[in-house]
Amino acid sequence: MKKKSDSECLDRLIVALCRDYDRRKRAITASSVGKRVRMEYAYLNARILEGAGEITGGALAEQMITEIGNGTGYAYSDLECLSEATYKRYKKEVKKNIARRLHLCD
């Protein structure tokens, strides 16, 4: 079995956190979890949204998070306002910036 590099592992972690973004958002809104868990969910989602928004701007941030989490590529993206090169660059930069905002890398 091939060993995953540190960057591959970090990338998978960011994708998983993005995939879970909407579930955490619903739990926060519905107050369906305890106070401590709600606080942690809010922290994670705020850092993820901040990380994405700093790259894409606020209007595109949540859609980019969704597309990262779902593994959506440019051909199936709902972000029609971006060129393919910009989309791919944003996606890569957003993942890296989310990792920074969550203090998972320097």
Side-chain angles (χ1 to χ4, degrees):
M1 179 166 30
K2 182 182 171 197
K3 184 179 176 189
K4 301 291 180 199
S5 72
D6 290 345
S7 63
E8 285 178 288
C9 291
L10 184 57
D11 185 73
R12 286 180 177 210
L13 175 60
I14 298 305
V15 169
L17 287 167
C18 288
R19 185 178 308 121
D20 198 40
Y21 180 88
D22 286 332
R23 183 194 64 84
R24 288 189 307 270
K25 185 176 175 180
R26 286 190 306 273
I28 293 164
T29 304
S31 296
S32 62
V33 293
K35 183 178 179 180
R36 175 63 192 231
V37 172
R38 197 167 51 251
M39 231 172 44
E40 295 299 332
Y41 283 3
Y43 172 80
L44 285 171
N45 277 13
R47 296 295 77 77
I48 290 169
L49 187 59
E50 179 183 342
E54 288 175 346
I55 304 301
T56 65
L60 305 179
E62 282 195 334
Q63 186 60 38
M64 182 59 76
I65 291 166
T66 298
E67 293 192 11
I68 289 170
N70 292 337
T72 304
Y74 177 75
Y76 298 99
S77 174
D78 287 333
L79 297 173
E80 298 172 353
C81 58
L82 301 175
S83 70
E84 183 173 3
T86 300
Y87 179 84
K88 289 179 178 182
R89 182 174 47 84
Y90 274 7
K91 210 168 177 183
K92 184 177 180 179
E93 289 177 18
V94 164
K95 287 181 194 179
K96 190 183 295 185
N97 204 42
I98 289 171
R100 280 193 210 109
R101 289 287 158 226
L102 289 170
H103 306 286
L104 298 172
C105 69
D106 292 322

